[in-house]
Amino acid sequence: QVQLVESGGGLVQPGGSLRLSCAASGRIFSSDDMAWYRQAPGKERELVATTTRRDTTNLVDASKGRFTISRDNAKNILYLQMNSLKPEDTAVYFCRTWTASGDYWGQGTQVTVSS
């Protein structure tokens, strides 16, 4: 099995920055695709960014230019650097991975952007 644990969320003012981390353990490899999702209150969960087995970073339109996804393969940590945060970025952020043993989600970390 794979376990994913997100951290780094918190309260930040508009325009501020946060770096989210997703620590992966278990049967996971650097070739496994991973992604960040988020879910705001009353809204559906949406994709934020992905990193694929081809080592390609994809940023969704809503976050492109402000968010950056990256991986530390040696430590099995997925990061999401979030800059120029806006109130509409407020959500619970989840990491996800697709592996040979199945698909896994973390429990999420809360990001609140507010004055």
Side-chain angles (χ1 to χ4, degrees):
Q1 64 177 2
V2 175
Q3 292 185 343
L4 304 173
V5 180
E6 301 96 335
S7 63
L11 175 64
V12 64
Q13 294 185 350
S17 298
L18 286 173
R19 188 181 73 168
L20 306 183
S21 300
C22 174
S25 61
R27 189 177 180 274
I28 186 169
F29 303 92
S30 61
S31 59
D32 292 327
D33 295 347
M34 299 188 74
W36 284 100
Y37 289 74
R38 68 185 181 186
Q39 187 167 20
K43 297 184 178 180
E44 296 182 359
R45 189 170 298 185
E46 65 177 351
L47 177 67
V48 176
T50 64
T51 180
T52 72
R53 63 192 179 198
R54 294 181 178 270
D55 199 27
T56 299
T57 298
N58 298 307
L59 301 177
V60 299
D61 291 341
S63 60
K64 188 175 183 178
R66 298 190 298 119
F67 295 179
T68 302
I69 189 171
S70 62
R71 294 177 75 169
D72 183 333
N73 291 324
K75 297 181 179 180
N76 289 329
I77 300 177
L78 179 71
Y79 297 100
L80 183 67
Q81 179 65 48
M82 309 165 64
N83 300 322
S84 301
L85 285 163
K86 304 175 181 179
E88 51 263 43
D89 295 319
T90 296
V92 177
Y93 285 72
F94 301 87
C95 63
R96 181 189 183 186
T97 186
W98 298 261
T99 75
S101 63
D103 299 336
Y104 300 90
W105 292 85
Q107 293 299 308
T109 184
Q110 176 70 49
V111 172
T112 302
V113 185
S114 176
S115 298

